[in-house]
């Protein structure tokens, strides 16, 4: 019969006294975290019967950190899946326990976003937000900084001087990639090209648009980029604007959706399928989902630039936790750029 593992066995294996093991087990006196972890590892290796209780005691000692996320449009598929990825990243964080507080902002006016940020900031240790760049938002981020609450920009950067950082795609790279695709996939070297943004106040959209124009000006000067269209990331507005665009510009050969509203754009392109095919219109949009996947397969869209949501969530949680460590010093905004995922009709497997 296998001998029962004793407190003394655990102490010998961990290189500590039996009194230290007792303190870890019963939380009688403080024990350094490194020593505690060494005792628990020894107990687990030996099969000590109370190792589960030791782990519970450790959790009781570690303060729970609260992470806040301000996302947009509750009913938008992209933000629903991003919220799920953030919840999972927070739940999987070990060994420090943390809790995700996720709010959705259906009202996207800057003052409403600022109010939501300050309200959430009163409940959490660090925040991440998807927001337009506006003085109201900047003021809220600066207030949170003064309160010791790091605030990160997700997906689109903001210009608040004391933001903790930006986490998302390289939007300059995104714009140039879209322009490269339209110029290389087109059978023509001249014609009109259109670009949609959600709002000029999204720095990510603005940078993507500028880079898109810059690439074509440098590498495909035969293409004329039309005045930028704003769809407020609203599918109905995007649908109506796309129909009007197709009607007014029969020479349209390229379309880049730098922001949201993809469902509306694809709906309009499908309705105008005959003219779309005759024009050989090259279309680049964002985020792979059921709608964009079907559009790729059907030849309505040629390239989808996708944000890797799991990597985004994991990076955001790691950065937020690092910023809330005791003694963590603010050294200026930290930029964490993620590699984009590219999808074509040929890599849908």
């Amino acid at each position: 019969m296998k001998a029962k593992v004793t407190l003394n066995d655990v102490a010998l294996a961990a290189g500590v006294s039996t009194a230290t093991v007792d303190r870890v087990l019963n939380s009688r006196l403080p024990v350094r975290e490194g020593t505690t972890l060494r005792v628990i590892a020894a107990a687990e290796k030996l099969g000590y019967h109370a190792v589960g209780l030791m782990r519970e005691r450790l959790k009781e000692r570690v303060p729970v950190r609260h992470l806040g996320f301000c996302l947009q449009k509750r009913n938008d598929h992209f933000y629903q899946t991003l919220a799920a990825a953030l919840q999972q990243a927070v739940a999987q964080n070990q060994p420090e326990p943390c809790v995700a507080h996720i709010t959705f902002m259906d009202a996207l006016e800057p003052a409403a976003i600022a109010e939501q940020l300050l309200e959430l900031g009163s409940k959490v240790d660090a925040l991440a937000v998807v927001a337009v760049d506006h003085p109201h938002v900047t003021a809220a981020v600066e207030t949170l900084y003064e309160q010791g609450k790091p605030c990160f920009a997700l997906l689109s950067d903001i210009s608040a001087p004391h933001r903790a950082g930006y986490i998302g795609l390289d939007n300059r790279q995104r714009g140039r990639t879209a322009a490269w695709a339209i110029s290389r996939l087109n059978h023509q070297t001249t014609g009109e090209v259109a670009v949609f943004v959600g709002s000029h106040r999204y720095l990510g959209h603005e940078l993507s648009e500028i880079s898109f124009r810059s690439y074509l000006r440098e590498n495909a000067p035969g293409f004329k980029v039309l005045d930028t269209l704003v769809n407020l990331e609203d599918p109905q507005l995007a649908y109506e604007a796309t129909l009007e665009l197709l009607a007014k510009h029969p020479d349209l050969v390229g379309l880049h959706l730098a922001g949201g509203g993809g469902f509306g754009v694809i709906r309009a392109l499908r309705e105008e399928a005959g003219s779309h095919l005759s024009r050989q219109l090259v279309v680049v949009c964002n985020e792979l989902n059921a709608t964009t996947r079907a559009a790729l397969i059907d030849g309505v869209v040629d390239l989808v630039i996708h944000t890797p949501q799991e990597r985004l969530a994991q990076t955001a949680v790691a950065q937020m936790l690092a910023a809330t460590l005791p003694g963590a010093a603010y050294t200026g905004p930290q930029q964490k750029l993620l590699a984009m995922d590219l999808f074509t009709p040929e890599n849908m497997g």
Side-chain angles (χ1 to χ4, degrees), residues 194 196 226 229 240-250 252 255:
F196 274 105
L226 302 172
L229 299 167
E240 294 171 1
T242 304
L243 287 179
E244 183 177 357
L245 174 71
L246 294 172
K248 286 185 175 180
H249 298 277
L252 196 69
L255 174 59

Side-chain angles (χ1 to χ4, degrees), residues 223-253:
F223 292 107
K224 176 188 177 183
V225 184
L226 302 172
D227 289 341
T228 301
L229 299 167
V230 179
N231 61 30
L232 302 180
E233 303 206 326
D234 181 281
Q236 183 61 30
L237 288 177
Y239 166 73
E240 294 171 1
T242 304
L243 287 179
E244 183 177 357
L245 174 71
L246 294 172
K248 286 185 175 180
H249 298 277
D251 293 329
L252 196 69
V253 297

